[in-house]
Coordinates of all heavy atoms in Angstrom, one line a residue:
M1 N 13.5 -38.3 27.7 CA 12.6 -38.1 28.9 C 11.2 -38.0 28.4 O 11.0 -37.3 27.4 CB 13.0 -36.8 29.6 CG 12.1 -36.5 30.8 SD 12.4 -34.9 31.4 CE 14.1 -34.8 31.5
K2 N 10.3 -38.6 29.1 CA 8.9 -38.6 28.6 C 8.1 -37.7 29.5 O 8.1 -38.0 30.8 CB 8.3 -40.0 28.5 CG 8.6 -40.7 27.3 CD 7.7 -41.9 27.1 CE 8.1 -42.5 25.7 NZ 7.9 -43.9 25.6
V3 N 7.4 -36.7 29.0 CA 6.6 -35.8 29.8 C 5.1 -35.9 29.3 O 4.9 -35.6 28.2 CB 7.1 -34.4 29.8 CG1 6.2 -33.5 30.7 CG2 8.5 -34.3 30.3
K4 N 4.2 -36.2 30.3 CA 2.8 -36.2 29.8 C 2.1 -35.2 30.6 O 2.2 -35.1 31.8 CB 2.2 -37.6 30.1 CG 2.7 -38.7 29.3 CD 2.0 -40.1 29.8 CE 2.7 -41.1 29.0 NZ 2.2 -42.5 29.5
V5 N 1.5 -34.3 29.8 CA 0.7 -33.2 30.5 C -0.8 -33.5 30.2 O -1.2 -33.7 29.1 CB 1.1 -31.9 29.8 CG1 0.3 -30.7 30.5 CG2 2.6 -31.6 30.0
C6 N -1.5 -33.5 31.3 CA -3.0 -33.7 31.2 C -3.7 -32.5 30.6 O -3.5 -31.4 31.2 CB -3.5 -34.1 32.6 SG -5.3 -34.5 32.4
V7 N -4.5 -32.7 29.6 CA -5.3 -31.6 29.1 C -6.8 -31.9 29.2 O -7.5 -31.4 28.3 CB -4.8 -31.2 27.7 CG1 -3.4 -30.6 27.7 CG2 -4.9 -32.4 26.7
G8 N -7.1 -32.7 30.1 CA -8.5 -32.9 30.4 C -9.1 -31.7 31.0 O -8.4 -30.7 31.3
S9 N -10.4 -31.7 31.2 CA -11.0 -30.4 31.6 C -10.6 -29.9 32.9 O -10.4 -28.7 33.1 CB -12.6 -30.5 31.5 OG -13.0 -31.7 32.2
N10 N -10.5 -30.8 33.9 CA -10.1 -30.4 35.3 C -8.7 -29.7 35.2 O -8.4 -28.7 35.8 CB -10.0 -31.5 36.3 CG -11.4 -32.0 36.6 OD1 -12.3 -31.2 36.7 ND2 -11.5 -33.3 36.8
C11 N -7.8 -30.4 34.6 CA -6.4 -29.9 34.5 C -6.3 -28.6 33.7 O -5.5 -27.7 34.0 CB -5.4 -31.0 34.0 SG -5.4 -32.3 35.2
T12 N -7.0 -28.6 32.5 CA -7.0 -27.4 31.7 C -7.4 -26.2 32.4 O -6.9 -25.1 32.4 CB -7.8 -27.6 30.4 OG1 -7.3 -28.7 29.8 CG2 -7.7 -26.4 29.5
F13 N -8.6 -26.4 33.2 CA -9.2 -25.3 34.0 C -8.2 -24.8 35.0 O -8.2 -23.6 35.3 CB -10.4 -25.8 34.7 CG -11.1 -24.8 35.4 CD1 -11.8 -23.8 34.8 CD2 -11.2 -24.8 36.9 CE1 -12.5 -22.9 35.5 CE2 -11.8 -23.9 37.5 CZ -12.6 -22.9 36.8
L14 N -7.2 -25.6 35.5 CA -6.3 -25.1 36.5 C -4.9 -24.9 35.9 O -3.9 -24.8 36.6 CB -6.3 -26.1 37.6 CG -7.6 -26.0 38.5 CD1 -7.7 -27.3 39.4 CD2 -7.7 -24.8 39.3
G15 N -4.9 -24.7 34.6 CA -3.6 -24.1 34.1 C -2.7 -25.1 33.3 O -1.5 -24.7 33.1
S16 N -3.1 -26.3 32.9 CA -2.2 -27.2 32.2 C -1.7 -26.7 30.9 O -0.6 -27.0 30.4 CB -2.7 -28.6 32.2 OG -3.9 -28.6 31.3
M17 N -2.5 -25.9 30.2 CA -2.1 -25.4 28.9 C -0.9 -24.5 29.0 O 0.0 -24.5 28.2 CB -3.3 -24.6 28.2 CG -4.4 -25.5 27.8 SD -4.0 -27.1 27.0 CE -3.8 -26.5 25.3
S18 N -0.8 -23.7 30.1 CA 0.3 -22.8 30.2 C 1.5 -23.6 30.6 O 2.7 -23.3 30.2 CB 0.0 -21.7 31.2 OG 0.7 -21.9 32.5
I19 N 1.4 -24.7 31.3 CA 2.6 -25.6 31.5 C 3.1 -26.2 30.2 O 4.3 -26.2 30.0 CB 2.2 -26.8 32.5 CG1 1.8 -26.2 33.9 CG2 3.3 -27.8 32.7 CD1 1.2 -27.3 34.9
L20 N 2.1 -26.6 29.4 CA 2.5 -27.1 28.0 C 3.3 -26.1 27.2 O 4.3 -26.3 26.6 CB 1.2 -27.5 27.3 CG 1.2 -28.6 26.4 CD1 1.9 -29.9 26.9 CD2 -0.2 -28.9 25.9
D21 N 2.8 -24.8 27.2 CA 3.4 -23.8 26.5 C 4.9 -23.5 27.0 O 5.8 -23.3 26.2 CB 2.7 -22.4 26.7 CG 1.4 -22.4 25.8 OD1 1.3 -23.3 24.9 OD2 0.6 -21.5 26.1
Q22 N 5.0 -23.6 28.3 CA 6.3 -23.3 28.9 C 7.3 -24.4 28.6 O 8.5 -24.2 28.4 CB 6.2 -23.1 30.4 CG 5.4 -21.8 30.7 CD 6.0 -21.0 31.9 OE1 7.1 -21.2 32.2 NE2 5.2 -20.2 32.4
I23 N 6.8 -25.6 28.5 CA 7.7 -26.8 28.2 C 8.1 -26.6 26.7 O 9.3 -26.9 26.4 CB 6.9 -28.2 28.3 CG1 6.6 -28.4 29.8 CG2 7.8 -29.2 27.8 CD1 5.8 -29.6 30.1
D24 N 7.3 -26.1 25.9 CA 7.7 -25.9 24.5 C 8.7 -24.8 24.4 O 9.8 -25.0 23.7 CB 6.4 -25.3 23.7 CG 5.8 -26.4 22.8 OD1 6.4 -27.5 22.8 OD2 4.8 -26.1 22.3
D25 N 8.7 -23.7 25.2 CA 9.7 -22.7 25.3 C 11.0 -23.3 25.8 O 12.1 -23.0 25.2 CB 9.3 -21.6 26.2 CG 8.1 -20.7 25.5 OD1 7.9 -20.9 24.3 OD2 7.5 -20.0 26.3
L26 N 10.9 -24.2 26.8 CA 12.0 -24.8 27.4 C 12.8 -25.7 26.4 O 14.0 -25.7 26.4 CB 11.6 -25.6 28.6 CG 12.8 -26.2 29.4 CD1 13.6 -25.2 30.1 CD2 12.2 -27.1 30.5
K27 N 12.1 -26.3 25.5 CA 12.6 -27.2 24.5 C 13.6 -26.4 23.6 O 14.7 -26.8 23.2 CB 11.5 -27.8 23.5 CG 11.0 -29.0 24.1 CD 9.8 -29.5 23.3 CE 10.0 -30.9 22.7 NZ 8.8 -31.3 22.0
D28 N 13.1 -25.2 23.2 CA 14.0 -24.3 22.4 C 15.2 -23.9 23.2 O 16.3 -23.9 22.6 CB 13.2 -23.1 22.0 CG 12.1 -23.3 21.0 OD1 12.1 -24.4 20.4 OD2 11.1 -22.5 21.0
I29 N 15.1 -23.6 24.4 CA 16.3 -23.2 25.3 C 17.3 -24.3 25.3 O 18.5 -24.1 25.2 CB 15.8 -22.7 26.7 CG1 14.9 -21.4 26.6 CG2 17.0 -22.5 27.6 CD1 14.2 -21.1 27.9
I30 N 16.8 -25.5 25.5 CA 17.6 -26.7 25.7 C 18.4 -27.0 24.5 O 19.6 -27.2 24.4 CB 16.8 -27.9 26.1 CG1 16.3 -27.7 27.5 CG2 17.6 -29.1 25.9 CD1 15.2 -28.7 27.9
S31 N 17.6 -26.9 23.3 CA 18.4 -27.3 22.0 C 19.4 -26.2 21.6 O 20.3 -26.4 20.9 CB 17.4 -27.5 20.9 OG 16.5 -26.4 20.7
D32 N 19.2 -24.9 22.1 CA 20.1 -23.8 21.8 C 21.3 -23.8 22.7 O 22.2 -23.0 22.5 CB 19.4 -22.5 22.0 CG 18.4 -22.2 20.8 OD1 18.4 -23.0 19.8 OD2 17.7 -21.2 20.9
D33 N 21.3 -24.7 23.7 CA 22.4 -24.7 24.7 C 23.0 -26.1 25.0 O 22.9 -26.5 26.1 CB 21.8 -24.0 26.0 CG 22.9 -23.6 26.9 OD1 24.2 -23.9 26.6 OD2 22.6 -23.1 28.0
P34 N 23.6 -26.7 24.0 CA 24.1 -28.1 24.2 C 25.2 -28.1 25.2 O 25.6 -29.2 25.6 CB 24.6 -28.5 22.8 CG 24.8 -27.2 22.0 CD 23.8 -26.1 22.7
D35 N 25.9 -27.0 25.5 CA 27.0 -27.0 26.5 C 26.4 -27.3 27.9 O 27.1 -27.8 28.7 CB 27.7 -25.6 26.5 CG 28.5 -25.4 25.3 OD1 28.7 -26.4 24.6 OD2 28.8 -24.3 25.0
N36 N 25.3 -26.8 28.2 CA 24.7 -27.0 29.5 C 23.7 -28.0 29.7 O 23.4 -28.4 30.9 CB 24.2 -25.6 30.0 CG 25.2 -24.6 30.3 OD1 26.2 -24.9 30.9 ND2 25.1 -23.4 29.7
Y37 N 23.1 -28.5 28.6 CA 22.1 -29.6 28.7 C 22.4 -30.8 28.0 O 22.9 -30.7 26.8 CB 20.7 -29.0 28.3 CG 20.3 -27.8 29.2 CD1 20.4 -26.5 28.7 CD2 19.8 -28.0 30.5 CE1 20.0 -25.5 29.4 CE2 19.5 -27.0 31.2 CZ 19.5 -25.7 30.7 OH 19.2 -24.6 31.5
R38 N 22.1 -32.0 28.5 CA 22.4 -33.2 27.8 C 21.4 -33.2 26.6 O 20.3 -32.7 26.6 CB 22.1 -34.4 28.6 CG 23.2 -34.8 29.5 CD 23.0 -36.2 30.0 NE 21.7 -36.4 30.7 CZ 21.5 -36.0 32.0 NH1 22.5 -35.6 32.7 NH2 20.3 -36.2 32.4
D39 N 22.0 -33.7 25.5 CA 21.3 -33.8 24.3 C 20.3 -34.9 24.3 O 20.3 -35.9 23.6 CB 22.2 -34.0 23.1 CG 21.5 -33.7 21.7 OD1 20.4 -33.2 21.8 OD2 22.1 -34.1 20.8
E40 N 19.3 -34.9 25.2 CA 18.4 -35.9 25.4 C 17.1 -35.5 24.9 O 16.6 -34.3 25.0 CB 18.2 -36.1 26.9 CG 17.3 -37.3 27.3 CD 17.2 -37.4 28.8 OE1 18.0 -36.7 29.5 OE2 16.3 -38.1 29.3
D41 N 16.4 -36.4 24.2 CA 15.1 -36.1 23.6 C 14.1 -35.8 24.7 O 13.9 -36.6 25.6 CB 14.6 -37.2 22.7 CG 15.2 -37.1 21.3 OD1 15.9 -36.1 21.0 OD2 14.8 -37.9 20.5
L42 N 13.5 -34.7 24.6 CA 12.4 -34.4 25.5 C 11.0 -34.6 24.7 O 10.7 -33.9 23.8 CB 12.5 -32.9 25.9 CG 11.5 -32.4 26.9 CD1 11.3 -33.1 28.1 CD2 11.8 -30.9 27.2
E43 N 10.4 -35.8 25.1 CA 9.2 -36.1 24.4 C 8.0 -35.6 25.2 O 7.9 -36.0 26.4 CB 9.2 -37.6 24.4 CG 8.6 -38.2 23.1 CD 8.7 -39.7 23.2 OE1 9.8 -40.3 22.9 OE2 7.6 -40.4 23.5
V44 N 7.2 -34.8 24.6 CA 6.1 -34.2 25.4 C 4.8 -34.7 24.7 O 4.6 -34.6 23.5 CB 6.1 -32.7 25.3 CG1 5.0 -32.1 26.2 CG2 7.5 -32.2 25.9
E45 N 3.9 -35.1 25.5 CA 2.6 -35.6 25.1 C 1.5 -34.9 25.9 O 1.5 -34.8 27.1 CB 2.5 -37.1 25.4 CG 2.2 -38.0 24.2 CD 2.1 -39.4 24.7 OE1 3.0 -39.9 25.3 OE2 1.1 -40.1 24.4
A46 N 0.5 -34.4 25.1 CA -0.7 -33.8 25.8 C -1.8 -34.9 25.7 O -2.1 -35.4 24.7 CB -1.2 -32.6 25.1
I47 N -2.3 -35.3 27.0 CA -3.2 -36.4 27.0 C -4.6 -35.9 27.7 O -4.5 -35.2 28.7 CB -2.6 -37.5 27.8 CG1 -1.5 -38.1 27.0 CG2 -3.7 -38.6 28.1 CD1 -0.8 -39.3 27.6
K48 N -5.6 -36.2 27.1 CA -6.9 -35.8 27.7 C -7.3 -36.7 28.8 O -7.7 -37.9 28.7 CB -8.0 -35.9 26.6 CG -8.3 -34.6 25.9 CD -9.7 -34.5 25.4 CE -9.9 -33.0 25.1 NZ -10.6 -32.8 23.9
C49 N -7.2 -36.2 30.0 CA -7.4 -36.8 31.3 C -6.6 -38.1 31.5 O -6.9 -39.1 31.0 CB -8.9 -37.1 31.5 SG -9.1 -37.6 33.3
L50 N -5.6 -37.9 32.3 CA -4.7 -39.1 32.7 C -5.4 -40.0 33.7 O -4.9 -41.0 34.0 CB -3.4 -38.5 33.3 CG -2.5 -37.9 32.3 CD1 -1.5 -37.0 33.0 CD2 -1.8 -38.9 31.4
G51 N -6.6 -39.6 34.2 CA -7.4 -40.5 35.0 C -7.2 -40.2 36.5 O -7.9 -40.8 37.4
F52 N -6.2 -39.4 36.9 CA -5.9 -39.2 38.3 C -7.0 -38.4 39.0 O -7.1 -38.5 40.3 CB -4.5 -38.5 38.5 CG -3.4 -39.3 38.0 CD1 -2.8 -39.0 36.8 CD2 -2.8 -40.2 38.8 CE1 -1.7 -39.8 36.4 CE2 -1.8 -41.0 38.4 CZ -1.2 -40.8 37.2
C53 N -7.8 -37.7 38.3 CA -8.8 -36.9 38.9 C -10.1 -37.7 39.2 O -11.0 -37.2 39.9 CB -9.1 -35.6 38.1 SG -9.8 -36.1 36.5
K54 N -10.1 -38.9 38.7 CA -11.4 -39.7 38.8 C -11.4 -40.5 40.2 O -10.3 -41.0 40.6 CB -11.5 -40.7 37.7 CG -11.3 -40.1 36.3 CD -12.6 -39.5 35.8 CE -12.5 -39.0 34.4 NZ -13.2 -37.8 34.1
G55 N -12.6 -40.5 40.8 CA -12.7 -41.3 41.9 C -11.9 -40.8 43.2 O -11.6 -41.6 44.1
T56 N -11.6 -39.5 43.2 CA -11.0 -39.0 44.4 C -11.6 -37.6 44.7 O -12.0 -36.9 43.7 CB -9.4 -38.8 44.2 OG1 -9.0 -38.2 45.4 CG2 -9.1 -38.0 43.0
D57 N -11.7 -37.3 45.9 CA -12.1 -35.9 46.3 C -11.0 -35.0 46.5 O -11.2 -33.8 46.7 CB -13.0 -36.0 47.7 CG -14.3 -36.7 47.5 OD1 -14.8 -36.8 46.3 OD2 -14.8 -37.3 48.4
E58 N -9.8 -35.5 46.5 CA -8.6 -34.7 46.6 C -8.4 -33.9 45.4 O -8.7 -34.3 44.2 CB -7.4 -35.5 46.9 CG -7.3 -36.0 48.4 CD -6.1 -36.8 48.6 OE1 -5.0 -36.4 48.1 OE2 -6.3 -37.8 49.2
K59 N -7.9 -32.7 45.6 CA -7.6 -31.8 44.5 C -6.2 -32.2 43.9 O -5.2 -32.2 44.6 CB -7.5 -30.4 44.9 CG -7.2 -29.4 43.9 CD -7.0 -28.0 44.5 CE -6.3 -27.0 43.6 NZ -5.0 -27.4 43.1
V60 N -6.1 -32.8 42.6 CA -4.9 -33.2 42.1 C -4.5 -32.4 40.8 O -3.4 -32.4 40.4 CB -5.0 -34.7 41.7 CG1 -5.2 -35.6 42.9 CG2 -6.1 -35.0 40.7
A61 N -5.5 -31.8 40.2 CA -5.2 -31.0 38.9 C -4.4 -29.7 39.2 O -4.6 -29.1 40.2 CB -6.5 -30.7 38.2
P62 N -3.5 -29.4 38.2 CA -3.2 -30.1 37.0 C -2.2 -31.2 37.3 O -1.4 -31.2 38.3 CB -2.5 -29.0 36.1 CG -2.3 -27.8 37.0 CD -2.9 -28.0 38.3
V63 N -2.3 -32.2 36.4 CA -1.3 -33.4 36.6 C -0.3 -33.5 35.5 O -0.7 -33.3 34.3 CB -2.1 -34.7 36.7 CG1 -1.2 -35.9 36.9 CG2 -3.2 -34.7 37.9
V64 N 0.9 -33.6 35.8 CA 2.0 -33.9 34.9 C 2.8 -35.1 35.3 O 3.0 -35.3 36.4 CB 2.9 -32.6 34.9 CG1 4.1 -32.9 33.9 CG2 2.2 -31.4 34.4
V65 N 3.0 -36.0 34.3 CA 3.8 -37.2 34.6 C 5.1 -37.1 33.9 O 5.2 -37.0 32.7 CB 3.0 -38.5 34.1 CG1 3.8 -39.7 34.5 CG2 1.7 -38.6 34.8
I66 N 6.2 -37.2 34.7 CA 7.5 -37.1 34.2 C 8.3 -38.5 34.4 O 8.4 -38.9 35.5 CB 8.4 -36.0 34.8 CG1 7.8 -34.7 34.6 CG2 9.8 -36.0 34.3 CD1 8.5 -33.5 35.2
D67 N 8.5 -39.2 33.3 CA 9.1 -40.4 33.3 C 8.4 -41.4 34.3 O 9.0 -42.0 35.2 CB 10.7 -40.4 33.7 CG 11.5 -39.9 32.6 OD1 11.1 -40.0 31.4 OD2 12.6 -39.4 32.9
G68 N 7.1 -41.4 34.1 CA 6.3 -42.3 35.0 C 5.9 -41.8 36.4 O 5.2 -42.5 37.1
E69 N 6.5 -40.7 36.8 CA 6.3 -40.2 38.1 C 5.2 -39.1 38.1 O 5.5 -38.0 37.5 CB 7.6 -39.7 38.7 CG 7.6 -39.3 40.1 CD 8.9 -38.6 40.5 OE1 9.9 -38.9 40.0 OE2 8.8 -37.6 41.3
P70 N 4.1 -39.2 38.6 CA 3.0 -38.2 38.6 C 3.3 -37.1 39.6 O 3.8 -37.3 40.7 CB 1.7 -39.0 39.0 CG 2.2 -40.2 39.6 CD 3.6 -40.5 39.3
M71 N 3.1 -35.9 39.1 CA 3.1 -34.7 39.9 C 1.7 -34.1 40.0 O 1.1 -33.8 38.9 CB 4.0 -33.7 39.3 CG 5.4 -34.1 39.2 SD 6.4 -32.9 38.2 CE 6.3 -31.5 39.2
Y72 N 1.2 -34.0 41.2 CA -0.2 -33.5 41.3 C -0.1 -31.9 41.6 O 0.9 -31.5 42.2 CB -0.9 -34.1 42.5 CG -1.0 -35.6 42.3 CD1 -0.5 -36.5 43.3 CD2 -1.5 -36.2 41.2 CE1 -0.6 -37.9 43.2 CE2 -1.6 -37.6 41.0 CZ -1.1 -38.4 42.0 OH -1.1 -39.7 41.8
N73 N -1.1 -31.2 41.4 CA -1.2 -29.8 41.6 C 0.1 -29.1 41.0 O 0.8 -28.2 41.6 CB -1.2 -29.4 43.1 CG -2.4 -30.1 43.8 OD1 -3.5 -30.0 43.3 ND2 -2.1 -30.8 44.9
A74 N 0.5 -29.6 39.8 CA 1.7 -29.1 39.1 C 1.6 -27.7 38.8 O 0.6 -27.1 38.5 CB 1.9 -29.9 37.9
T75 N 2.8 -27.0 39.0 CA 2.9 -25.6 38.5 C 4.0 -25.6 37.4 O 4.9 -26.5 37.4 CB 3.3 -24.7 39.7 OG1 4.7 -25.1 40.2 CG2 2.3 -24.7 40.8
S76 N 4.0 -24.5 36.6 CA 5.0 -24.4 35.6 C 6.4 -24.5 36.2 O 7.3 -25.1 35.7 CB 4.8 -23.1 34.8 OG 3.6 -23.1 34.2
Q77 N 6.5 -23.7 37.3 CA 7.9 -23.6 37.9 C 8.4 -24.9 38.4 O 9.5 -25.3 38.1 CB 7.8 -22.6 39.1 CG 9.1 -22.2 39.6 CD 9.1 -21.4 40.8 OE1 8.1 -20.9 41.2 NE2 10.2 -21.2 41.5
I78 N 7.5 -25.7 39.1 CA 8.0 -27.0 39.6 C 8.3 -28.0 38.4 O 9.3 -28.7 38.4 CB 7.0 -27.6 40.6 CG1 6.9 -26.7 41.8 CG2 7.3 -29.0 40.9 CD1 5.7 -27.0 42.7
V79 N 7.4 -27.9 37.4 CA 7.7 -28.8 36.3 C 9.0 -28.5 35.6 O 9.8 -29.3 35.2 CB 6.5 -28.8 35.3 CG1 6.8 -29.5 34.0 CG2 5.2 -29.4 35.9
M80 N 9.2 -27.1 35.3 CA 10.4 -26.7 34.6 C 11.7 -27.1 35.5 O 12.6 -27.6 34.9 CB 10.5 -25.2 34.5 CG 9.4 -24.6 33.6 SD 9.2 -25.4 32.0 CE 7.6 -26.0 32.2
E81 N 11.6 -26.9 36.8 CA 12.7 -27.3 37.6 C 13.0 -28.7 37.5 O 14.2 -29.2 37.4 CB 12.4 -26.9 39.1 CG 12.7 -25.5 39.4 CD 12.2 -25.2 40.9 OE1 12.1 -26.1 41.7 OE2 12.0 -23.9 41.1
K82 N 12.0 -29.6 37.6 CA 12.2 -31.0 37.5 C 12.9 -31.4 36.2 O 13.8 -32.2 36.2 CB 10.9 -31.6 37.6 CG 10.9 -33.1 38.0 CD 10.2 -33.3 39.3 CE 10.5 -34.8 39.8 NZ 10.2 -35.0 41.1
I83 N 12.4 -30.9 35.1 CA 12.9 -31.2 33.8 C 14.4 -30.7 33.6 O 15.2 -31.5 33.2 CB 12.0 -30.6 32.6 CG1 10.6 -31.2 32.6 CG2 12.8 -30.8 31.3 CD1 9.6 -30.5 31.6
I84 N 14.6 -29.5 34.1 CA 16.0 -29.0 34.0 C 17.0 -29.8 34.9 O 18.1 -30.1 34.4 CB 16.0 -27.5 34.4 CG1 15.3 -26.6 33.3 CG2 17.4 -27.0 34.6 CD1 15.0 -25.2 33.7
N85 N 16.5 -30.2 36.0 CA 17.4 -30.9 36.9 C 17.8 -32.3 36.3 O 18.9 -32.8 36.5 CB 16.8 -31.2 38.2 CG 16.9 -29.9 39.1 OD1 17.7 -29.0 38.9 ND2 16.0 -29.8 40.1
K86 N 16.9 -32.8 35.5 CA 17.2 -34.2 34.9 C 18.1 -34.0 33.7 O 18.7 -35.0 33.4 CB 15.8 -34.8 34.5 CG 15.1 -35.4 35.6 CD 13.9 -36.1 35.1 CE 13.2 -37.0 36.2 NZ 13.2 -38.4 36.0
I87 N 18.0 -32.9 33.0 CA 18.9 -32.9 31.8 C 20.0 -31.9 31.8 O 20.8 -31.9 30.9 CB 18.0 -32.5 30.5 CG1 17.3 -31.1 30.8 CG2 17.0 -33.5 30.3 CD1 16.6 -30.7 29.6
R88 N 20.2 -31.2 33.0 CA 21.4 -30.4 33.2 C 22.6 -31.1 33.2 O 22.7 -32.2 33.8 CB 21.2 -29.5 34.4 CG 22.3 -28.4 34.5 CD 22.2 -27.7 35.8 NE 21.2 -26.7 35.7 CZ 20.3 -26.4 36.8 NH1 20.6 -27.0 37.9 NH2 19.5 -25.5 36.7
K89 N 23.7 -30.7 32.6 CA 25.0 -31.4 32.6 C 25.7 -31.2 33.9 O 25.6 -30.1 34.5 CB 25.9 -30.9 31.5 CG 25.5 -31.6 30.1 CD 26.5 -31.1 29.1 CE 26.2 -31.8 27.8 NZ 27.0 -31.3 26.7
Ligands
LIG101 S1 -8.5 -34.0 33.9 FE1 -6.3 -34.2 34.4 S2 -6.3 -36.1 35.5 FE2 -8.3 -35.9 34.8

């Protein structure tokens, strides 16, 4: 699974670093619990501005993209739920 977390200034200002930290913690939980989670590689990338905040007046930050699907106004809780749902056995 590929997860891209935007760490551009808009997204960082609205909390993307804490989402990144929580994904890191989640990685440890997943690798410690092979009975409940598929042994799927969780690839996490921090990217400086994914471009979604440009050319719009809508509030989109923070942005996280999971397997190509962008999530706007992402929160740690929603991102964690999405990742867990995809890799839970
Ligand atoms: S700063 Fe995150 S999409 Fe631009």
Side-chain angles (χ1 to χ4, degrees):
M1 179 192 314
K2 280 195 176 156
V3 180
K4 293 179 183 170
V5 179
C6 181
V7 292
S9 50
N10 288 327
C11 292
T12 303
F13 184 68
L14 289 166
S16 64
M17 293 314 276
S18 108
I19 295 174
L20 211 49
D21 285 347
Q22 295 220 20
I23 295 173
D24 259 353
D25 292 346
L26 185 65
K27 275 174 122 176
D28 293 337
I29 294 169
I30 289 165
S31 61
D32 287 348
D33 193 358
D35 290 342
N36 288 312
Y37 298 105
R38 275 198 306 278
D39 192 12
E40 182 180 350
D41 274 359
L42 178 55
E43 215 177 284
V44 183
E45 235 181 309
I47 295 180
K48 263 210 165 135
C49 192
L50 289 162
F52 294 99
C53 65
K54 308 282 185 212
T56 178
D57 290 335
E58 277 178 49
K59 181 187 161 301
V60 295
V63 181
V64 175
V65 178
I66 298 179
D67 284 340
E69 187 189 325
M71 296 169 64
Y72 304 125
N73 306 308
T75 63
S76 299
Q77 191 185 348
I78 293 171
V79 171
M80 296 309 117
E81 277 174 19
K82 197 117 188 165
I83 294 172
I84 287 170
N85 284 340
K86 281 184 172 241
I87 59 174
R88 185 184 284 143
K89 281 185 178 174

